[in-house]
Amino acid sequence: MTDLPSPVRGVTVRVLMGIGACGPYAHVVADFEPPGTGGGFELFSAVPERRLPAEFVPALRAGLLEGLDGVAAAVLVTDGTFHEVDSSEFGYRIAGVQAGRAARVGAGLLPPEAGDALRWATWPGRRDPARAGKRGGRAS
């Protein structure tokens, strides 16, 4: 198992899937740190249950593990919200996968181009996928 080599703070994921009148919704903000003594994956939450109900945490955890893909990290969820109708375990699993992959890109474990596919994730230092393919353009 590889350890996350450096902290990646402020990873934000807001899943908004408009499928008809509704769709999965999930919102989390997390800080990723290299693992503590003993390594492995640890998940902590500083978000009150009224903002992020405990029923969604197992799906978020499963998504984070999938997105980190064997990378050991300590994850602190610092913010999050839910929607009474549209939030689901499916949405939080997607949010976890996107957050875990974003942390891997932010820590340099994946190339920056891998972040282009992360539709709902942002993190400090994320390149703008719309500008990434443009070269040698004239300044206006």
Side-chain angles (χ1 to χ4, degrees), residues 24-94:
Y25 172 87
H27 168 234
V28 293
V29 179
D31 294 338
F32 292 76
E33 299 280 339
T37 307
F41 173 80
E42 295 179 289
L43 176 61
F44 305 97
S45 178
V47 183
E49 192 168 342
R50 65 181 161 69
R51 290 185 55 83
L52 181 59
E55 69 189 87
F56 298 125
V57 174
L60 176 63
R61 178 185 187 83
L64 286 165
L65 286 167
E66 183 180 337
L68 285 168
D69 193 28
V71 174
V75 181
L76 174 62
V77 180
T78 59
D79 197 8
T81 58
F82 78 105
H83 185 274
E84 287 186 23
V85 175
D86 294 337
S87 286
S88 65
E89 291 178 358
F90 178 63
Y92 281 93
R93 185 173 182 109
I94 292 170

